[in-house]
Amino acid sequence: GDSVTQMEGPVTLSEEAFLTINCTYTATGYPSLFWYVQYPGEGLQLLLKATKADDKGSNKGFEATYRKETTSFHLEKGSVQVSDSAVYFCALSADNQGGKLIFGQGTELSVKP
Amino acid sequence: DAGVIQSPRHEVTEMGQEVTLRCKPISGHDYLFWYRQTMMRGLELLIYFNNNVPIDDSGMPEDRFSAKMPNASFSTLKIQPSEPRDSAVYFCASSFRQPTNEKLFFGSGTQLSVL
């Protein structure tokens, strides 16, 4: 079945460092891809999305490009802040899955001042 | 709008007791999802509803778990009897139309501890 694989955490960075969190997917159809973020004690929030190949989703300085040839949707940010500390989830949703959103395991990011 | 509202925020119970988790989705949303989050298994989809009808319950762990959505503004997830391995954070989420292209809105979760 469809699945999402993320790099394991935790990832610890210093403020202003460059961030990459890897995400690859397996899907039989043509899924939409998402990054959700979970801040401590809260539910998940949509960070960005891409609905077709070569689309780039971006929000709050984060971006990810839908790469069909490598089945990847890596999350990047040029300069992280302490406030970016959270757990990041990659997810996919395919029409042939009836609307389900399938999440990766999550990657914890900790940014130190 | 107040967002997706879950109650209680925390629940501590003893093994064998019945537990009921509650969710009020965002008004106008026609999809409702129940997820469970643990360190070991990450975020698992348990069941989801469309227009109050259960569509896919393949993620429900076993018969001890049941979920209902009697109307568009309320859903429950019940565990009877509860076991220590059910300890987790349970999230409810809702969306307008399928989340293939739409944002999924999550509640703040219920932290369940079964002793």
Side-chain angles (χ1 to χ4, degrees):
Chain A
D2 293 4
S3 65
V4 176
T5 302
Q6 291 180 234
M7 64 185 285
E8 287 192 20
V11 174
T12 302
L13 296 174
S14 298
E15 208 164 20
E16 299 184 2
F18 184 86
L19 168 71
T20 299
I21 299 178
N22 290 338
C23 170
T24 57
Y25 68 91
T26 302
T28 52
Y30 298 93
S32 293
L33 301 174
F34 306 82
W35 277 100
Y36 277 77
V37 58
Q38 183 182 29
Y39 298 103
E42 299 182 10
L44 282 70
Q45 306 172 27
L46 178 65
L47 180 60
L48 54 83
K49 69 177 185 183
T51 56
K52 61 183 187 296
D54 299 325
D55 269 3
K56 178 184 285 188
S58 61
N59 185 26
K60 300 181 181 179
F62 291 89
E63 57 183 35
T65 301
Y66 190 140
R67 302 284 188 202
K68 189 167 180 288
E69 64 276 12
T70 54
T71 62
S72 64
F73 193 55
H74 304 320
L75 183 68
E76 297 181 335
K77 186 175 186 182
S79 176
V80 294
Q81 306 300 313
V82 172
S83 57
D84 294 328
S85 297
V87 181
Y88 292 82
F89 291 87
C90 186
L92 69 82
S93 181
D95 288 336
N96 65 356
Q97 289 286 333
K100 290 195 296 190
L101 204 61
I102 298 170
F103 287 90
Q105 288 286 94
T107 302
E108 182 181 357
L109 170 66
S110 177
V111 181
K112 308 296 184 186
Chain B
D1 200 314
V4 177
I5 299 173
Q6 291 186 245
S7 64
R9 191 68 193 269
H10 302 276
E11 177 80 38
V12 180
T13 190
E14 293 188 348
M15 184 174 64
Q17 296 298 306
E18 177 179 297
V19 175
T20 299
L21 311 181
R22 298 173 175 79
C23 175
K24 176 179 167 57
I26 292 174
S27 178
H29 283 190
D30 52 359
Y31 279 81
L32 184 140
F33 302 78
W34 282 100
Y35 284 89
R36 178 173 68 176
Q37 184 179 36
T38 61
M39 290 291 291
M40 291 297 294
R41 302 171 72 95
L43 201 61
E44 304 172 274
L45 177 63
L46 301 178
I47 185 172
Y48 77 97
F49 296 82
N50 177 215
N51 291 323
N52 314 335
V53 176
I55 302 300
D56 185 345
D57 65 355
S58 59
M60 295 287 260
E62 48 198 273
D63 291 346
R64 297 184 298 106
F65 285 69
S66 63
K68 294 182 180 179
M69 192 165 186
N71 57 63
S73 58
F74 184 66
S75 177
T76 60
L77 178 67
K78 186 176 295 186
I79 309 172
Q80 166 63 18
S82 58
E83 297 184 2
R85 60 195 169 114
D86 301 330
S87 297
V89 180
Y90 290 81
F91 287 103
C92 176
S94 70
S95 69
F96 176 60
R97 297 197 290 261
Q98 290 188 15
T100 308
N101 290 305
E102 302 291 337
K103 185 188 300 187
L104 195 59
F105 291 82
F106 281 77
S108 298
T110 295
Q111 173 81 59
L112 173 64
S113 297
V114 183
L115 306 177

